[in-house]
Amino acid sequence: MTTRYGASRADVDALLADWGEPRYRADQVWDALWRQQIALEDDTALPRALRDRLVDALPLALDPVTELTAHDGMTSKWLWACTRDRAQIETVLMRYPERATVCVSSQAGCAMGCTFCATGQAGFERHLDAGEIVEQVLRAAQASPQRVSNVVFMGMGEPLVNYDNTWAAVERIHDDLGLSARRITVSTVGVAPAMRRLAAERLPVTLAVSLHAATDAEREQLVPLNRRYPIAEVLDAAAEFAGAKGRRVTFEYACIEGVNDSPAQAEVLGRLLGAFPGVGGAHVNLIPLNPTDGFGGHAPAGPSLEAFAARLRGHGVTATVRRNRGTDIAAACGQLRSRELMPQEPPPSARMAP
Ligand code: SAH
Ligand code: SF4
């Protein structure tokens, strides 16, 4: 049985035709799902009997386990159990005055084993299918008064090792939800061959590459995949993407005090990325480390992050310091799940959403 957001337009048309419903009903259902982005259960424009029948025939793929909203009311996070096998995944909604961004998971767990990442610490469970990825966007959209304008693949998992499902989800977010490709960001730890494949796709999505260090010796300590795809190879694939798509590439850099935040390291990174080819060169997003249970480090102080960014700018590399949102609800990658699997009280500063 196909799930609600796994179903294509043709699937919905066929289902309603099979039930002998007039053609306009299929338009109406599709519109509710993808344009109005409302829950079918709440679609009072549909006759009650048809609505019940649809809810049965097109089941949801995700059951909420926990829903948390940060104090500011602008960041929400869900822990879901996939209805298929109860695998747990997370989704984050970040609301802004005029728009909203949804951060989706592409896998339950992750096999890449980055040392500072809660998802990496917990290991790999399975790939998500495209319906499970896309449903995260729609379920978050239903909870957001602001229209979802951006989707980022920065939740649990490495999207480029689940390539086909990730790409199918990107296409549905673009074609059915109507987001422009540049508002869909795929974040990768640096799976070079898959980055080249992405460069050849029809949609120019935004690419973010998780770098975290400027030398192979240092990066290997944080990102085990660096042994397979070292920095030069990752940058080469990123440059191919930038060239093919005419898009600036973003490099993510999780800043860890005493590990990768020294002025000397900023200089090496600045020189490395200052030479990055392509339109607009490289952009660096400095992410203060979110502490996790399995890794001892912590984030540098604000001024030292700003000094690091200033050194990068000295090399012609644009750099921004990401403001962490929702730290009071463990909004960083994999953290809610690891907390849930080792039952504890929710963080005191978080409250359950109504
Ligand atoms: N697997 C992909 C996408 C998911 S992780 C990737 O690694 O890019 C999304 C981002 O969150 C990555 O840049 C990752 O390095 C970062 N991240 C993971 N754990 C973090 C932590 N504890 N603190 C700060 N950033 C973290
Ligand atoms: Fe996987 Fe990304 Fe976490 Fe690394 S940082 S373990 S690639 S989710």
Side-chain angles (χ1 to χ4, degrees):
M1 183 165 21
T2 173
T3 58
R4 195 165 303 172
Y5 298 100
S8 65
R9 176 69 212 237
D11 293 335
V12 170
D13 287 357
L15 184 69
L16 288 159
D18 210 41
W19 293 347
E21 292 289 340
R23 167 84 208 176
Y24 73 86
R25 283 290 183 212
D27 293 338
Q28 195 184 354
V29 170
W30 191 254
D31 194 71
L33 290 173
W34 295 91
R35 294 277 120 72
Q36 300 176 59
Q37 298 163 20
I38 54 173
L40 271 187
E41 288 81 352
D42 299 337
D43 188 1
T44 47
L46 290 172
R48 182 63 191 264
L50 176 61
R51 201 193 322 158
D52 291 348
R53 206 170 177 195
L54 278 166
V55 164
D56 273 355
L58 296 174
L60 290 166
L62 306 174
D63 268 346
V65 175
T66 321
E67 181 183 346
L68 296 170
T69 296
H71 264 350
D72 63 7
M74 297 299 270
T75 306
S76 303
K77 178 162 186 163
W78 291 264
L79 178 68
W80 311 101
C82 296
T83 51
R84 152 144 79 101
D85 60 358
R86 311 310 290 173
Q88 293 194 344
I89 59 161
E90 303 176 355
T91 307
V92 179
L93 168 72
M94 287 160 284
R95 292 164 47 205
Y96 301 90
E98 305 290 338
R99 56 178 204 86
T101 294
V102 180
C103 175
V104 296
S105 295
S106 55
Q107 300 177 311
C110 182
M112 300 295 109
C114 302
T115 51
F116 55 88
C117 169
T119 307
Q121 290 156 14
F124 177 69
E125 203 170 337
R126 71 163 168 88
H127 293 320
L128 299 187
D129 65 34
E132 289 166 331
I133 297 172
V134 169
E135 184 170 323
Q136 296 171 62
V137 180
L138 274 305
R139 300 286 289 271
Q142 288 162 12
S144 174
Q146 292 85 6
R147 188 106 188 143
V148 171
S149 62
N150 294 68
V151 172
V152 298
F153 284 75
M154 292 185 183
M156 299 168 67
E158 168 50 47
L160 295 189
V161 302
N162 183 17
Y163 194 95
D164 292 339
N165 290 313
T166 291
W167 192 256
V170 164
E171 291 200 307
R172 301 215 58 178
I173 293 164
H174 176 270
D175 298 349
D176 296 335
L177 207 55
L179 257 63
S180 80
R182 66 189 174 83
R183 292 179 178 278
I184 304 171
T185 298
V186 175
S187 176
T188 180
V189 69
V191 188
M195 292 164 68
R196 295 184 197 281
R197 195 173 159 196
L198 200 64
E201 296 287 0
R202 75 173 167 109
L203 297 174
V205 295
T206 296
L207 178 65
V209 179
S210 297
L211 204 57
H212 312 312
T215 67
D216 285 323
E218 290 167 315
R219 191 165 186 262
E220 272 174 20
Q221 302 299 311
L222 302 170
V223 177
L225 191 73
N226 194 76
R227 285 185 209 109
R228 185 128 159 239
Y229 304 117
I231 292 174
E233 202 172 329
V234 172
L235 291 186
D236 198 56
E240 183 174 323
F241 180 91
K245 294 285 172 263
R247 306 293 316 279
R248 184 175 80 165
V249 173
T250 294
F251 293 91
E252 291 156 284
Y253 195 95
C255 298
I256 312 165
E257 190 178 62
V259 172
N260 63 2
D261 68 333
S262 74
Q265 285 162 319
E267 291 299 324
V268 178
L269 183 66
R271 276 199 297 279
L272 182 72
L273 295 183
F276 188 77
V279 219
H283 175 82
V284 175
N285 200 355
L286 298 171
I287 315 169
L289 182 81
N290 264 298
T292 56
D293 294 333
F295 184 77
H298 52 90
S304 116
L305 285 170
E306 288 302 337
F308 196 95
R311 282 183 189 275
L312 296 179
R313 290 183 200 117
H315 291 271
V317 174
T318 61
T320 45
V321 178
R322 187 191 290 175
R323 200 169 48 92
N324 271 343
R325 286 184 55 154
T327 29
D328 60 332
I329 54 166
C333 184
Q335 291 186 324
L336 193 58
R337 174 170 172 268
S338 60
R339 205 162 278 180
E340 191 73 21
L341 292 176
M342 293 178 289
Q344 283 175 10
E345 288 295 297
S349 51
R351 65 175 170 82
M352 290 298 294

